[in-house]
Amino acid sequence: MSSATLINPATEEVLRTVDLLDVDAVDDAVARAKAAQKRWAALAPAERAAGLRAFAAIVDSHVGELAALEVANSGHPIGNAEWEAGHVRDVLQYYAASPERLIGKQIPVAGGLDVTFHEPLGVVGVITPWNFPMTIAAWGFAPALAAGNAVVLKPAEWTPLTSVRLAALAAEAGLDPDLFQVLPGRGSVVGERFVTHPDVRKVVFTGSTAVGTRVMAGAAARVKRVTLELGGKSANIVFDDCDLERAAATAPYGVFDNAGQDCCARSRILVQRTVYDRFMELLEPAVRGVVVGDPNDRGTEMGPLVAKPHWESVRSFVPDDAPVAFRGTAPGGPGFWFPPTVLTPQRSDRTVTEEIFGPVVTVLPFDDEADAIALANDTPYGLSGSIWTENLSRAVRVSRAVEAGNLSVNSHSSVRYTTPFGGFKQSGLGRELGPDAPEHFTETKNVFFQIGES
Ligand code: NAD
């Protein structure tokens, strides 16, 4: 068995090592999950609901511990990390209502009674990225468990600690330890095995479009169900009739939250040419005002990048001759720090077309509504975006025209666990969260009961 060494991204100190599982260990875990799923599905719906509520309650009483782990492992600011742990609790609590509400249909037919059942799939594999380890894990495991499935979860190599702890908490809360198992390991080993294992009936993958494409191809060979949450290059469209002060003041937080390591980051700011100069004047102090520093400090708004290789990747987008408009600050010394950076490149530049996944934003002028929509849609991605305007008709027109799964008008909100989340085009396939998520972890079974003559 190999192991990985985890590094605190804010200090570059070694945190600990984690064992990486091999294929035999995955196969053993899936076999145990398969048996546990049968026991779980046989429980009364109210018992499964109670199990999930107990899981939510134990997460609630460990929010501080989970948040501290995320600060150390991922460099998230403490306030963000606490929100993330609380979000896991809320997602569990929300889906704890589902076992008793997975209601089928009774369909009128001749000669009998016709009903549908939402049958669990069996074992579900969840593969998560490193940017939001806890929250993205919960979006997969909570509705999957609620629908009567067992879950095996592979966290990203750099950030497994909170997921490992969540599985232990589930067991402490009384869930069968084989029902929800976290299996640290390499994507090419554990992740691939989820795709090829015949008893893993669905793979929920969140990560890059490149790996997601590979997961989908592997799943296709087995007609395996997939949900894919992939990359993004979202637009923040600022029209000249908006509250420009508010648009400029909030724009940094629409992209630099989590140091820009956010699939929903509004990494392309598109500004109507008539207000472009004024917007840039307002944006500069807002960017310089982003507080970048020690993630344990409650005043910190942005921490470091997650790891050195990722820092190098982000750095490659800002060479010495990059068209930098202005930058914020970042600490010196150890840690993978990168200051918030605003670029004003040409429309065809790779900083405009490629996902950077760091605190780097491009600002481009546009001429009119049609130009804004064309520019916003000129990307293979379609995850998120914002529209700033005081004109209601324009807000409706543009939000219908932008090809993205999650839009926000006069704000930068993306994720509410009560509403569906997912991408258009190469940003993904399927939707997570919202009231329908548990059904995405079921097969619909139709049963006709013939009624005999009396
Ligand atoms: P990644 O694709 O490198 O890795 C994601 C996960 O897949 C990791 O756990 C990794 O180990 C695993 N993996 C790698 N190779 C695999 C394989 N061959 N088979 C199966 N699994 C494999 O992505 P990342 O760098 O961890 O995350 C950043 C990416 O995730 C960005 O593109 C970002 O936009 C995307 N993302 C999307 C969403 C969303 O909801 N749409 C949310 C967060 C992140």
Side-chain angles (χ1 to χ4, degrees):
M1 194 184 286
S2 58
S3 66
T5 302
L6 305 181
I7 308 283
N8 181 326
T11 62
E12 297 186 45
E13 284 162 10
V14 171
L15 267 181
R16 66 177 83 161
T17 58
V18 170
D19 290 336
L20 302 175
L21 301 193
D22 59 16
V23 168
D24 287 344
V26 177
D27 288 359
D28 176 59
V30 171
R32 285 184 285 111
K34 191 177 174 184
Q37 187 272 329
K38 300 246 176 330
R39 299 191 289 273
W40 176 241
L43 293 178
E47 286 181 85
R48 276 183 272 130
L52 293 173
R53 278 189 214 107
F55 189 3
I58 202 163
V59 170
D60 185 50
S61 59
H62 289 78
V63 162
E65 182 200 330
L66 288 163
L69 266 184
E70 205 65 276
V71 171
N73 194 177
S74 306
H76 292 192
I78 180 71
N80 295 32
E82 285 169 352
W83 181 89
E84 290 158 23
H87 181 83
V88 174
R89 169 205 59 218
D90 295 345
V91 170
L92 279 165
Q93 191 74 30
Y94 180 67
Y95 290 114
S98 300
E100 294 173 288
R101 290 174 175 78
L102 265 179
I103 296 164
K105 291 192 169 109
Q106 179 267 310
I107 299 170
V109 291
L113 170 71
D114 195 284
V115 291
T116 63
F117 297 91
H118 295 297
E119 303 287 12
L121 299 171
V123 180
V124 171
V126 178
I127 301 173
T128 58
W130 47 258
N131 62 328
F132 288 109
M134 269 190 279
T135 55
I136 291 173
W139 302 352
F141 70 68
L145 292 171
N149 301 284
V151 173
V152 287
L153 185 144
K154 192 205 89 65
E157 286 88 328
W158 289 333
T159 57
L161 295 184
T162 47
S163 299
V164 168
R165 186 66 184 125
L166 283 169
L169 289 174
E172 275 180 50
L175 294 191
D176 186 329
D178 292 337
L179 184 68
F180 172 40
Q181 301 176 61
V182 169
L183 312 178
R186 296 195 196 289
S188 55
V189 179
V190 178
E192 292 254 359
R193 188 58 185 144
F194 286 5
V195 174
T196 58
H197 198 300
D199 287 331
V200 176
R201 295 292 167 80
K202 174 167 185 165
V203 173
V204 179
F205 173 84
T206 306
S208 61
T209 297
V211 178
T213 308
R214 191 186 161 106
V215 167
M216 189 171 174
R222 294 153 188 93
V223 198
K224 187 170 291 198
R225 280 74 180 132
V226 285
T227 297
L228 303 174
E229 297 286 3
L230 309 176
K233 191 72 185 175
S234 299
N236 175 10
I237 311 174
V238 179
F239 286 101
D240 62 4
D241 59 26
C242 79
D243 178 343
L244 205 64
E245 276 73 18
R246 213 155 65 80
T250 58
Y253 301 95
V255 57
F256 301 142
D257 190 52
N258 204 30
Q261 304 166 122
D262 183 341
C263 52
C264 291
R266 276 66 164 173
S267 53
R268 293 181 299 150
I269 306 180
L270 315 181
V271 186
Q272 196 152 11
R273 205 177 292 278
T274 42
V275 292
Y276 180 86
D277 289 343
R278 178 67 187 136
F279 180 83
M280 292 301 272
E281 274 171 25
L282 293 165
L283 184 63
E284 182 166 356
V287 168
R288 294 197 194 284
V290 175
V291 182
V292 184
D294 180 358
N296 281 302
D297 187 335
R298 291 207 168 265
T300 292
E301 295 176 319
M302 194 183 114
L305 292 170
V306 70
K308 181 79 171 177
H310 186 58
W311 184 92
E312 279 161 1
S313 159
V314 173
R315 177 76 184 80
S316 75
F317 285 92
V318 192
D320 291 341
D321 60 349
V324 175
F326 38 83
R327 304 185 90 165
T329 58
F336 310 124
W337 302 101
F338 202 92
T341 301
V342 179
L343 303 179
T344 50
Q346 298 299 311
R347 288 186 177 194
S348 57
D349 194 78
R350 77 181 267 255
T351 55
V352 177
T353 57
E354 294 178 25
E355 185 182 44
I356 301 173
F357 224 56
V360 180
V361 70
T362 60
V363 190
L364 300 176
F366 67 83
D367 294 317
D368 54 20
E369 198 176 300
D371 191 29
I373 292 166
L375 198 47
N377 288 338
D378 187 17
T379 165
Y381 297 116
L383 189 57
S384 180
S386 302
I387 299 153
W388 289 79
T389 176
E390 291 296 306
N391 178 328
L392 179 61
S393 299
R394 169 174 277 166
V396 174
R397 278 195 307 271
V398 177
S399 55
R400 295 302 301 270
V402 173
E403 298 163 343
N406 312 275
L407 294 169
S408 179
V409 175
N410 294 332
S411 57
H412 299 296
S413 131
S414 294
V415 178
R416 290 186 170 79
Y417 57 82
T418 51
T419 60
F421 176 78
F424 279 31
K425 302 194 287 187
Q426 290 185 32
S427 282
L429 190 75
R431 291 293 177 272
E432 297 191 286
L433 298 176
D436 302 330
E439 284 187 27
H440 302 155
F441 293 98
T442 66
E443 293 286 7
T444 300
K445 180 183 285 171
N446 189 72
V447 183
F448 171 73
F449 298 85
Q450 182 162 341
I451 301 174
E453 300 294 320
S454 63

